[in-house]
Amino acid sequence: NQIILGIFVFFPFIVLIHELGHVFFGKLLDMKILSVTIGSGPTIFKFKNLKVKLIYFFYGFTEYEGISLDLNKKIIFLLGGIIFNILSIFILTFLIKFNILDEYIFTPFITFSESAIILAVLPLKYSDNCMSDVLQIYNSIKHKKINK
């Protein structure tokens, strides 16, 4: 039950937290955020700049402009999602420790957040021609450019 809850309920929120990390650092670095997409496949829901795709529980990406940043700023932007996932783990751990949140419900959220961080730091290429954050960082350093 916790695995199904984790995949279909928690993971989309974890992906959203991750993407909001990119949005936060993008705005901090004066980048224009065009859209945030959760999942892959056809769009099933759209609200302003947020799109949710049919396979909504797998990954997300943030489309942006303002690529003329220096390499260090690109790396900060790309690490923003991982930073937000780590922060959410610390916040939830604190709230569970002080009995503000239920441990049984939110411990799987932490476990799935840790999995999301692992997926972001592995050099992976997803469907829709998107890449993990670390693969984008690698390509940015190697080719001095950034990809979607």
Side-chain angles (χ1 to χ4, degrees), residues 5-135:
L5 180 71
I7 291 172
F8 293 104
V9 177
F10 288 157
F11 215 73
F13 285 108
I14 292 164
V15 171
L16 182 61
I17 290 167
H18 183 94
E19 296 309 320
L20 289 175
H22 293 305
V23 170
F24 175 81
F25 284 99
K27 295 281 188 184
L28 200 64
L29 299 169
D30 293 324
M31 297 171 70
K32 181 179 179 185
I33 304 301
L34 302 175
S35 69
V36 172
T37 302
I38 307 298
S40 65
T43 300
I44 59 170
F45 175 78
K46 184 177 179 182
F47 178 73
K48 295 187 179 185
N49 292 342
L50 173 67
K51 298 177 203 170
V52 178
K53 302 285 188 161
L54 182 62
I55 305 171
Y56 66 90
F57 49 85
F58 183 55
Y59 71 97
F61 59 92
T62 302
E63 292 182 279
Y64 49 87
E65 290 178 350
I67 308 295
S68 60
L69 302 171
D70 67 34
L71 185 59
N72 291 331
K73 289 182 179 179
K74 290 178 187 178
I75 291 171
I76 291 168
F77 169 76
L78 289 168
L79 290 175
I82 296 168
I83 291 168
F84 265 46
N85 285 133
I86 291 170
L87 286 173
S88 72
I89 289 171
F90 282 123
I91 291 167
L92 287 175
T93 301
F94 175 82
L95 295 173
I96 289 168
K97 182 176 173 78
F98 290 99
N99 295 318
I100 297 168
L101 293 178
D102 184 89
E103 180 178 1
Y104 180 77
I105 294 173
F106 287 97
T107 298
F109 189 95
I110 292 171
T111 303
F112 276 88
S113 293
E114 292 164 344
S115 301
I117 292 167
I118 291 168
L119 289 173
V121 299
L122 291 175
L124 300 173
K125 193 167 193 178
Y126 307 121
S127 64
D128 297 340
N129 208 27
C130 292
M131 293 179 254
S132 68
D133 296 332
V134 166
L135 184 56

